[in-house]
Amino acid sequence: MGLNGLVTRNIAGYVRSFEVCGEWREHDLEEHSSMGRVPDGSMMLNTLVRVAIERMVVLDSFSWDLNTKMLPIVWQALAQKITITKLSIKFPSKRHPRPMTLVPPIPNLQSLKITDIDPLSYPDDISSLLLGSKNLRHLCLHWSPRMREKCEPSVHCSVYFEKCKVANYLLPLKSIAVQNLYTYDCDSSGGVIDNDVVEEITLLNSTDGWGDNGSTGFMDTAWRKPAPYIMPKLKKLRIDKVSRGQCDFLDSFQGLERLYLIGPKSKSSNLVNGDSKDVPQPSVHTPPASNSSSPGTTISSSDNPNRSSASVQTLRSSYIDTIVRNHGSTLRHLLLLPQWRLTANDIAIIIRQCPNLEQLGIGTEFENFDHLRLLVPFLPKLEVIRIMAGGEEGGGKFVAAMRELDSAGSHMEKIGQETVNREWSKLRFMELGASDMIFEIGTRYRLDNTWDAEGKEVWRRYVRRVALDEVREMDIWKMDSMII
């Protein structure tokens, strides 16, 4: 009914944002797939979408989020729209091969997001789109989780970037986001991005490091060499793996404003578009690696010291030292791995070197609430703090102490008392070890007819418990996920 209205009535000319989403039922799908045909219903759907797009004279944003693949006729309609600046395309999570599309350039496209890329079933070629869309500034590429779960080396970076490389064209991207990349070789992506322009980088499940197992390790690590050029304008880095190489990268430049180191998540958190019935085993039989492993080598997480808890704790000091030395004066948001149980000395270093922090998320060895006095008063701009559990059973000593306060019904009273001083005035939200213990810190108020031992008025702060959904859009929580 919606498409019918857009096609037959004079309303399409007012549409600036158009999203096609939901479930589309395709009849006799297996039969059509076996013969290499597209079901008639899907052809009709894509035809109607194209006609609707052609009538949208001010269309600025288009999103395809259906469980069926977008066909070339829709791409052709989008390429003719000089008004489009934002494009989001989702490939189906189910495998039903469709004809390949050579995606044309879109002249004024500024933001491109493609999710659930599956080269074996939907090998659309976006190389011309990347080369010809000269206004492209934001690129997000998300491959199907199946690529790494099943160790399918079907991704070849040359398919996406070779035309830019041959044309000596540097993509002037301000933000780059990559998730679930699994490839033999990614040399073709080097030398095609203008490092002097990049401001934001997100890498999720696309690098090796602590948290990997045999099914997610790269088969060829030769391409992961130090970048020949630094990124002088890089302001935001979000990554879910820590390693010596990543720490060296942080040491190669200065001026980072937002750093989010995400701890290992459960497998289900990475399944953006459905779930997988087959769970990879801790040890898997990988294809031969070109630079180290012999054919048929079995790799497990225990074989790599970088993937052990001991290793990640060893990296803690290196990361903290690098972060505060190169980026401390400019950092506004800092999220560290909850498994890094920061000591009082670690916290003192962060306090001294990062005076401009506004949002902070850390794991600590605090045993009670009193230790927060070491932290908050010396960060005058701090608005949000998260004290995170580090994976211990029950959340560790700090969480246990907070649970005890909570069960006694004195949690909010304690917070209101501890945060009453003026140096806490900027603090708005506080997480105390668990997502069900998030509190909003309000304004000060005076207790009626109450004085302390010195005869002074007694003040408190209003405190309210909030649900995670109420703060989920704040960066220190929003960035701590596997959603790209």
Side-chain angles (χ1 to χ4, degrees), residues 123-136:
D124 287 7
D125 184 354
I126 64 170
S127 58
S128 296
L129 175 64
L130 295 177
L131 176 61
S133 302
K134 302 300 183 182
N135 292 313
L136 187 63

Side-chain angles (χ1 to χ4, degrees), residues 116-117 141-149 152 155 178-183 203-207 216 218 240 270-272 482 484:
D116 281 279
I117 302 171
L141 298 177
H142 169 280
W143 280 269
S144 169
R146 188 187 295 108
M147 300 295 99
R148 298 196 74 166
E149 290 172 4
E152 294 181 358
V155 179
V178 176
Q179 187 169 4
N180 300 327
L181 176 63
Y182 185 74
T183 179
L203 300 172
L204 300 181
N205 200 30
S206 298
T207 62
T216 59
F218 277 86
D240 68 328
N270 191 38
L271 300 179
V272 178
M482 295 299 289
I484 202 166

